[in-house]
């Protein structure tokens, strides 16, 4: 599965106001829940927060990839946000996070989950892409940058 297939323009947002890691996760959960009536924002948030309790998903360089599994989910969902202001995220480099790509997979999708996380780690290790994501003018531009990214 390609990363570009996981996103829709409605699940990409720029300038998202969030004063904390928890609030940013709530906003991401809302973006993902809005498109699937079988899922609730609370279920998604609980899944993402549960994973964060195991260890921070902050990769470094201002990027986090919060992810989780849900029994109720039948498909992989993703959302991407650029926060208005970076938040403390307990990232490995101790830098605040302003770019977040959330991933939600069905409970049984272990291999697919790991492959997607690997693709995301590769994508967000590209300094040029990070600069372009941070300077994009709007959500549509962010969506196109991610959709057109090639490893």
């Amino acid at each position: 599965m390609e990363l570009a297939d996981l996103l829709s323009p409605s699940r990409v947002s720029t300038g998202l106001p969030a004063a904390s890691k928890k609030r940013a996760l709530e906003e991401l959960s809302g973006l993902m829940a809005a498109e699937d009536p079988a899922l609730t924002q609370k279920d998604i948030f609980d899944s993402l927060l549960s994973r964060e309790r195991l260890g921070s998903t902050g990769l470094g360089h201002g990027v986090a990839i919060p992810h989780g599994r849900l029994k109720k989910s039948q498909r992989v969902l993703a959302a991407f946000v650029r926060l208005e202001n970076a938040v403390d995220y307990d990232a490995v480099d101790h830098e605040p996070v302003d770019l977040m790509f959330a991933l939600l997979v069905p409970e049984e999708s272990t291999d697919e989950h790991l492959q997607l996380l690997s693709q995301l780690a590769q994508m967000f290790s590209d300094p040029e892409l990070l600069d372009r994501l941070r300077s994009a003018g709007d959500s549509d531009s962010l969506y196109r940058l991610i959709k057109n990214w090639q490893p």
Side-chain angles (χ1 to χ4, degrees), residues 78-127:
F80 178 78
V81 297
R82 184 180 72 209
L83 300 175
E84 186 174 70
N85 297 299
V87 297
D88 181 27
Y89 206 90
D90 299 320
V92 295
D93 64 357
H94 306 288
E95 294 296 319
V97 164
D98 64 339
L99 301 175
M100 299 176 70
F101 193 108
L103 186 64
L104 187 68
V105 299
E107 193 170 49
E108 67 281 353
S109 297
T110 302
D111 290 339
E112 184 177 37
H113 188 183
L114 294 174
Q115 289 171 0
L116 290 169
L117 289 173
S118 175
Q119 286 180 45
L120 287 167
Q122 182 181 4
M123 179 170 77
F124 290 120
S125 67
D126 178 349

Side-chain angles (χ1 to χ4, degrees), residues 17 26 31 35 48 55 63 65 101 112 114 116 125-126 132 143 145:
E26 288 172 342
L31 284 176
E35 218 168 281
L48 297 177
V63 176
I65 306 175
F101 193 108
E112 184 177 37
L114 294 174
L116 290 169
S125 67
D126 178 349
R132 293 175 71 195
Y143 175 73
L145 284 168

Side-chain angles (χ1 to χ4, degrees), residues 8 58-59 67 70-71 75 78 100 107 110 117 119 121 127 141:
S8 69
L59 296 181
H67 54 279
L70 263 185
K71 290 180 184 180
R75 64 186 179 121
M100 299 176 70
E107 193 170 49
T110 302
L117 289 173
Q119 286 180 45
S141 298

